[in-house]
Amino acid sequence: MKLYITTPSPFARKTRIVVREKGLSDRVEEVLADPYANAPELLATNPVVQVPTLVAEDGLPVTDSPVIAEYLDMVGHGERLLPVEGEARLRVKRLETLANAALEMGVKLLLEKRRPEHERSPSWMERWTANLGRALDALEAAAPDAEQFDMGVLTAGVAVTWIGFRHPDYDWKTGRPRLVALQAALETRPSFVETYPV
């Protein structure tokens, strides 16, 4: 399998962590690809040229990080990070979705900040910042626990690290001690250490 990535991408990092946690490192080749340059190998597998993109063992592309992560969870070894059904699955998916929402707001802010200053929208930046704060507050209230490691907890950890990495001027830690503790615990796991954004 081939996994097209960029190392700063939190969505790619999530899938890279799953590769390591599920014992798939010998079956998945990580390939650096620049989506902004329309990397030909990425464009050939994903029409919207986004990372991560996985070329599965059957040769077909799998796109969107939650789908890729679930596929890797399914074909990998050990206990499932995403329960197969029932209330347990819904609980994990709710946490994963909250973390993805925080990431989405952070990515929108990052892209807006990269535009020339005269093209930026202060009103949208204000809205996305407010949404980011609410998403993080909801994650804090959900009390993700590193000891109950699953796809939701994994995604929450990826989200807060990336927000601190890409938005160092944004204080995500104050008033969110559970998320601070989660990050501190998760960033010691080998799968997190090996995939830290650069």
Side-chain angles (χ1 to χ4, degrees), residues 3-8 16 29-35 39 41-42 51:
L3 180 63
Y4 293 99
I5 64 162
T6 62
T7 53
R16 296 173 70 211
E29 176 190 359
E30 294 179 0
V31 181
L32 289 171
D34 184 354
E41 65 276 19
L42 182 57
V51 293

Side-chain angles (χ1 to χ4, degrees), residues 174-196:
T174 299
R176 301 183 184 109
R178 293 185 184 109
L179 292 182
V180 172
L182 179 74
Q183 184 197 37
L186 290 180
E187 290 298 344
T188 64
R189 291 178 78 99
S191 62
F192 277 70
V193 172
E194 292 172 16
T195 60
Y196 196 83

Side-chain angles (χ1 to χ4, degrees), residues 110-183:
L110 178 66
L111 294 176
E112 193 72 9
K113 289 177 181 178
R114 289 179 173 174
R115 291 162 60 104
E117 191 166 353
H118 68 280
E119 293 182 9
R120 295 177 195 165
S121 171
S123 61
W124 278 115
M125 292 177 73
E126 182 179 345
R127 179 173 177 78
W128 293 329
T129 302
N131 287 350
L132 173 59
R134 285 191 292 266
L136 289 171
D137 288 342
L139 273 179
E140 174 71 15
D145 183 355
E147 295 298 317
Q148 298 175 342
F149 190 75
D150 57 34
M151 200 71 77
V153 168
L154 184 165
T155 308
V158 166
V160 293
T161 291
W162 183 84
I163 289 163
F165 171 71
R166 281 298 194 199
H167 300 284
D169 55 335
Y170 180 81
D171 179 15
W172 68 266
K173 294 182 178 181
T174 299
R176 301 183 184 109
R178 293 185 184 109
L179 292 182
V180 172
L182 179 74
Q183 184 197 37

